[in-house]
Amino acid sequence: MWPFVVGFVVASVVVGCLAWLYCWAAGRRMRQLRQRSQQSARLAYLGTLAGGLAHEIKNPLSTLNINLQLLEEDLERGDTRPTRVRSRLEGLRREVSRLQEVLDDFLRFARGYELHLTDEPVNALIDEVLDFIGPEARQHEVNIIRG
């Protein structure tokens, strides 16, 4: 009888270890798949963002090019009225600044964000949000009941 009990215990331990190992491997695989999925989604969004970035860069570049051509024509004709030149230069500065902002936004996104999760009291956050949206909700005859 003892060999049967010992064999049963050993088999149970082995099966338990194998089950634990399988669950651990499956969990690890799930985490890897989730990470890959998030990376794929991020890359897809990055591609969309890159298309938008190209569009946003083309418009200011076109304006820059036109203003530079107009300045060149003014200088060739000898038209060096300070107000006109300043106006064109100010337009160029605005567009350069706009390009800088677009590129800075893109680079901030491309660097990614690292989340730092902490425990926070959710009730305080809910109260804050309700205080913020309460007046507009009442204005639209929406009653918010907090339980």
Side-chain angles (χ1 to χ4, degrees):
M1 175 81 174
W2 282 105
F4 174 74
V5 171
V6 171
F8 180 75
V9 170
V10 170
S12 296
V13 169
V14 169
V15 168
C17 289
L18 289 174
W20 178 85
L21 185 60
Y22 176 77
C23 288
W24 177 80
R28 184 173 178 208
R29 180 73 177 143
M30 288 296 290
R31 284 188 297 278
Q32 288 173 340
L33 290 173
R34 190 177 309 122
Q35 285 176 340
R36 284 185 187 161
S37 173
Q38 289 171 345
Q39 287 172 342
S40 294
R42 184 174 164 86
L43 286 174
Y45 184 69
L46 200 56
T48 302
L49 197 60
L53 179 66
H55 175 74
E56 287 297 321
I57 287 175
K58 277 185 169 185
N59 290 338
L61 285 177
S62 176
T63 303
L64 288 169
N65 192 31
I66 288 169
N67 276 306
L68 287 171
Q69 287 174 358
L70 292 172
L71 270 173
E72 194 173 62
E73 289 173 10
D74 288 347
L75 292 173
E76 284 175 0
R77 285 192 310 242
D79 186 358
T80 56
R81 288 179 279 176
T83 55
R84 190 173 190 155
V85 170
R86 280 194 189 105
S87 171
R88 299 218 193 281
L89 288 174
E90 183 56 37
L92 291 169
R93 274 193 210 102
R94 270 193 317 272
E95 295 304 314
V96 167
S97 178
R98 186 171 150 205
L99 281 172
Q100 186 66 50
E101 287 176 24
V102 168
L103 289 174
D104 286 346
D105 288 345
F106 180 78
L107 289 174
R108 264 192 298 280
F109 173 79
R111 281 188 207 111
Y113 300 96
E114 185 175 324
L115 294 179
H116 299 283
L117 302 177
T118 60
D119 291 334
E120 294 292 329
V122 175
N123 289 333
L125 178 62
I126 291 171
D127 289 340
E128 190 177 322
V129 169
L130 290 178
D131 285 344
F132 180 73
I133 66 169
E136 187 171 345
R138 284 188 294 279
Q139 183 181 6
H140 289 91
E141 298 177 8
V142 174
N143 293 324
I144 300 173
I145 301 171
R146 186 165 187 269

